[in-house]
């Protein structure tokens, strides 16, 4: 296991402060590190960009992927000012980052009005019990895309 680098965590914390001081974003910052170098930075930009996906981690991951010209971030670590929300966690898994270091916990965030705990609870429920209604339609037609994907010989595997 690599040892955490407190300078990288401080960079993420500095971005969280910059976010609230300069852009009216939420108090979140993140950096992606590869081989001892920051290759992606992000701070919360949800409100300024009118984009609910513009979390610090998402923006840092996007920047790192652009830097490496690759959607996979194996060999990279994420330093983030707060434990990632479910959306960011899913993206971290999809991007195949090696490790996460975080400062504030999701409980800390909740104490200050940021409650992703509700989403964690919702995801754990069966679809029929979630507060957001979900209805499956046309699966018999949509499955054609999966079937065609399965037969491709030149596909990228996820």
């Amino acid at each position: 296991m690599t040892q955490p680098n407190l300078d990288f965590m401080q960079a993420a914390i500095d971005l969280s402060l910059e976010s609230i001081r300069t852009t009216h974003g939420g108090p979140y910052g993140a950096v992606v590190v590869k081989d001892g170098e920051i290759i992606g930075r992000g701070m919360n930009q949800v409100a300024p960009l009118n984009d609910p996906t513009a979390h610090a981690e998402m923006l840092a991951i996007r920047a790192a992927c652009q830097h490496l010209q690759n959607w996979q971030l194996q060999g990279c670590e994420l330093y983030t000012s707060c434990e990632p929300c479910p959306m960011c966690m899913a993206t971290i898994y999809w991007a195949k980052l090696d490790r996460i270091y975080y400062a504030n916990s999701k409980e800390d965030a909740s104490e200050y009005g940021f409650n992703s705990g509700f989403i964690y609870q919702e995801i754990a429920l069966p679809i029929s019990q979630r507060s957001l209604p979900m209805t499956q339609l046309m699966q018999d037609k949509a499955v054609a895309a999966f079937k065609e994907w399965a037969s491709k010989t030149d596909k990228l595997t996820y």
Side-chain angles (χ1 to χ4, degrees), residues 1-2 4 76-79 92 96-101:
M1 177 173 111
T2 61
C76 297
E77 298 173 330
L78 176 73
Y79 288 78
I92 291 162
K96 302 178 189 283
L97 283 133
D98 288 1
R99 176 174 294 280
I100 303 167
Y101 297 103

Side-chain angles (χ1 to χ4, degrees), residues 32 39-41 49 51-70 73 87 91:
V32 175
I39 62 166
R41 288 176 165 69
L49 297 178
D51 179 354
T53 70
H55 289 200
E57 298 90 342
M58 300 289 280
L59 297 177
I61 288 168
R62 290 175 189 159
C65 288
Q66 289 301 307
H67 177 83
L68 295 177
Q69 291 295 291
N70 195 330
L73 296 176
M87 173 184 66
T91 302

Side-chain angles (χ1 to χ4, degrees), residues 115-129:
N115 190 3
S116 61
F118 169 75
I119 299 170
Y120 281 104
Q121 292 168 355
E122 284 282 303
I123 291 170
L125 293 173
I127 289 174
S128 64
Q129 294 178 19

Side-chain angles (χ1 to χ4, degrees), residues 104-123:
N104 292 313
S105 69
K106 64 180 181 271
E107 291 80 15
D108 295 329
S110 180
E111 185 178 328
Y112 290 93
F114 298 94
N115 190 3
S116 61
F118 169 75
I119 299 170
Y120 281 104
Q121 292 168 355
E122 284 282 303
I123 291 170

